[in-house]
Amino acid sequence: MTQQSAGPARRVLTFFVTLAVLLASIAGLGQSAQAAGTPTSIGLAEHGLMAYRDNWQYVYGGKGGDTDGDGLRESDCAGLIYAYFKDIGAEAGCYGGASSQVKYNCVFSGDVDELYGIPRIHGLVITMPDYNDPSTGIYSHIGIYVGNNMATDNSDFNTNMVYDQVVGSGRGWTAWHVFDNGTLYPSNGWYEFDGALYHYTDCQYDVDKVVDGITIGSDGIALGSDGEPLTANSPEAPALSTEYVSATTVAQQLESLGYSGKDSTADIIGGGDDVPSEDEFNGRITGVGVSLREEPTTQSRQLATLALDERVQILETVTGERLSNGDGASDQWCSVVTETGRSGYVWAPYVEQEASVEAPVFSVEDGRLVITAEEGLDIRYTTDGSRPTAESTPYTGPIHASGTYRAVAVRDGWTSPMATITFAGGSLFTDFTSDDWYFEHVDRTVELGLFSGNGDQTFTPTSTITRAQFAAALANLAGVNAEDYKGETGYNDVSGDIWYSGAVNWVTSQGIMAGIGGGAFWPEEPISREQICVAMANYAGLTYSGSSGTFADDSSIHDWAKEAVYACRELGLITGMGSNTFAPQDPAQRAQACAIVLNAYDAGL
């Protein structure tokens, strides 16, 4: 990106700001930036993580200056952000509420896309709309983005600090913002965040690439030659960058990438520029007093009440809460935009599609993705997360490339509701996208037959994996036909006719996994990360040679699991959870298990 030359005064100012940041980076960016009084986006993100780990308490109007009886600091959502600037002596001009902070302290904004999230910048802030009283400000809640689709916020009474996903949490984040108030942002080079190293290019951190001979993972974290996250103190660590830029420069860079700088919050809560045009209305409401919901569930916020025969634009149909009325039951919900520009979900039986263009249908034939629609319709699709239009890529035949596909059918100016699918391993899934860190792991393990979906086009990658499911994965890795071992197991909680009895019998007979005592196997219980290591070590006959360093939370690893954990680490089957921790007793997720089993497969085990 070509930048305009700064005048002499600006160059001098930039020099001293850069010098201050350089001095700050010597002792660690988060603390030293505070000491220098120079706010950085990385410092703001680390502040959000610190507040979560220190269990700050929610108090309406709190700004982090008071503590409760247990010595825990108190704030509300906006006060959490204010506290960062107050702590480093840069609070002047940092306004109070969520709407005020966005209005007076943010220089650039955008919408949180339903699938692909927000720019890869630590320390952006994110917001939710105020549906209840937008006259006093259109934002009801604000949080701190800490990267990799995660954010922290001080949420509400009795909830306090939350660390959760932005996209996929169902909490209602809709917009992101570049916070200013003198905040400096990483520009180009290597930077430290939360004990790990990230590489930024043109103001966004890189993922899935090699820079300076260093591999960067899907989460943006740099990895050493041993496959473990690099730290600033590692002998392999590159020099940290001292290049920081203003929030305005970040805004200019994002604008050059096609971001508008505006978000749709006002339109979401009150209508406006996003009102559909006449030829985009393709449905009408068939009931009286129908609820428009924030999510496809009756537990989510009611955004509006729709009238009989009110026109809507149907965007897509999704699976949600199953409801019933006098005509039957359905778990289908329509994502719609109303005549006033409000977006939300309506239970499908209360929406009648007026346009004659049905959404395309995805299927798999001979291992390829097939998209079909009614005869005479054109099919258009995208793979970059954007909503397809009549000008998007035309579908011409079966597709072999894995990825997330969005498709519409087009005829005579009418565009159908959008259909979305993730094609991975020759199967169809609706609960993750190709942008998720684990996509390639799921793609390959499904293709290799090591894992399979859970039915209804779901893989549930972030749910915990059970002991029975992991036993089945190991049987698949070994190329064992578990049906040959199916039958009575000797465990009082595993019947001989259940689907996983063969896998349980096989891992037991091979000494890979065992019961937990009392004649039980606990097949439906989650398997922990250290238990997976023990099973992998038993499966592959691994022993630890002593070449792997210890995890920071080594004392949390059970003695009976330590050799297995470090043997797996030594061979590259496992990595840590950040900051050189392993979280040994945390339940393992299905996606994490995919990565471990795939690493074993690639190692020839």
Side-chain angles (χ1 to χ4, degrees), residues 221-570:
I221 295 177
L223 303 175
S225 57
D226 60 357
E228 296 300 315
L230 276 179
T231 66
N233 296 325
S234 170
E236 300 178 64
L240 297 182
S241 174
T242 60
E243 185 176 345
Y244 286 77
V245 296
S246 68
T248 301
T249 299
V250 174
Q252 292 170 347
Q253 174 62 26
L254 293 175
E255 187 173 26
S256 74
L257 297 175
Y259 290 100
S260 68
K262 301 178 185 292
D263 67 274
S264 302
T265 304
D267 297 325
I268 290 173
I269 62 177
D273 294 339
D274 285 343
V275 173
S277 61
E278 283 297 317
D279 62 354
E280 290 180 315
F281 288 113
N282 56 359
R284 68 179 184 87
I285 301 300
T286 60
V288 177
V290 173
S291 294
L292 179 71
R293 296 284 182 177
E294 186 176 16
E295 300 292 338
T297 70
T298 54
Q299 287 75 42
S300 64
R301 189 198 306 264
Q302 181 174 322
L303 307 181
T305 301
L306 307 183
L308 178 66
D309 290 329
E310 184 171 341
R311 295 182 305 168
V312 294
Q313 178 190 16
I314 305 173
L315 301 178
E316 62 177 326
T317 301
V318 301
T319 300
E321 180 183 0
R322 186 174 182 83
L323 303 176
S324 60
N325 60 14
D327 296 325
S330 175
D331 61 1
Q332 297 299 290
W333 292 67
C334 293
S335 172
V336 303
V337 182
T338 70
E339 292 177 305
T340 60
R342 289 191 173 186
S343 300
Y345 293 87
V346 175
W347 190 43
Y350 290 146
V351 185
E352 179 179 86
Q353 186 171 327
E354 291 185 328
S356 58
V357 184
E358 297 288 340
V361 175
F362 297 105
S363 61
V364 175
E365 294 181 9
D366 297 326
R368 295 193 173 194
L369 177 65
V370 175
I371 313 176
T372 55
E374 295 179 20
E375 186 175 354
L377 300 183
D378 290 329
I379 299 173
R380 305 285 173 150
Y381 72 92
T382 60
T383 57
D384 61 358
S386 63
R387 187 175 297 280
T389 68
E391 306 303 319
S392 298
T393 303
Y395 172 76
T396 58
I399 300 170
H400 71 274
S402 298
T404 297
Y405 291 81
R406 287 172 155 183
V408 295
V410 180
R411 178 172 60 196
D412 298 332
W414 286 97
T415 299
S416 76
M418 181 180 69
T420 305
I421 205 71
T422 294
F423 180 54
S427 298
L428 304 180
F429 300 102
T430 59
D431 57 351
F432 65 95
T433 77
S434 55
D435 256 18
D436 289 310
W437 70 264
Y438 47 76
F439 171 76
E440 291 187 5
H441 300 308
V442 176
D443 183 25
R444 287 192 61 205
T445 53
V446 172
E447 182 180 16
L448 292 168
L450 304 177
F451 278 79
S452 60
N454 291 329
D456 298 324
Q457 296 184 343
T458 63
F459 190 84
T460 57
T462 58
S463 67
T464 56
I465 184 170
T466 67
R467 287 167 52 81
Q469 288 172 341
F470 193 71
L474 288 179
N476 292 336
L477 177 63
V480 169
N481 183 359
E483 288 295 312
D484 294 342
Y485 293 82
K486 194 169 183 178
E488 293 305 317
T489 64
Y491 294 112
N492 56 31
D493 55 355
V494 181
S495 65
D497 58 356
I498 201 164
W499 69 267
Y500 50 74
S501 69
V504 169
N505 277 331
W506 179 75
V507 295
T508 301
S509 67
Q510 300 299 308
I512 297 171
M513 296 175 67
I516 50 82
F521 187 81
W522 285 10
E524 302 293 345
E525 291 298 310
I527 185 170
S528 69
R529 290 169 54 80
E530 66 180 6
Q531 287 171 342
I532 278 185
C533 290
V534 171
M536 291 302 308
N538 290 338
Y539 167 81
L542 303 181
T543 56
Y544 178 46
S545 70
S547 66
S548 173
T550 59
F551 286 111
D553 55 354
D554 175 80
S555 60
S556 298
I557 304 174
H558 284 109
D559 289 341
W560 50 262
K562 281 191 177 182
E563 180 168 347
V565 168
Y566 291 115
C568 288
R569 186 187 199 190
E570 192 173 57

Side-chain angles (χ1 to χ4, degrees), residues 168-254:
S169 68
R171 298 186 60 210
W173 300 110
T174 61
W176 55 265
H177 316 271
V178 179
F179 206 92
D180 194 355
N181 205 53
T183 303
L184 299 179
Y185 287 76
S187 176
N188 289 284
W190 293 99
Y191 301 83
E192 184 179 12
F193 170 69
D194 195 32
L197 297 187
Y198 293 77
H199 188 274
Y200 271 75
T201 300
D202 294 335
C203 304
Q204 294 194 74
Y205 64 82
D206 297 308
V207 296
D208 291 324
K209 65 187 301 185
V210 177
V211 178
D212 298 336
I214 297 173
T215 299
I216 300 172
S218 300
D219 55 4
I221 295 177
L223 303 175
S225 57
D226 60 357
E228 296 300 315
L230 276 179
T231 66
N233 296 325
S234 170
E236 300 178 64
L240 297 182
S241 174
T242 60
E243 185 176 345
Y244 286 77
V245 296
S246 68
T248 301
T249 299
V250 174
Q252 292 170 347
Q253 174 62 26
L254 293 175

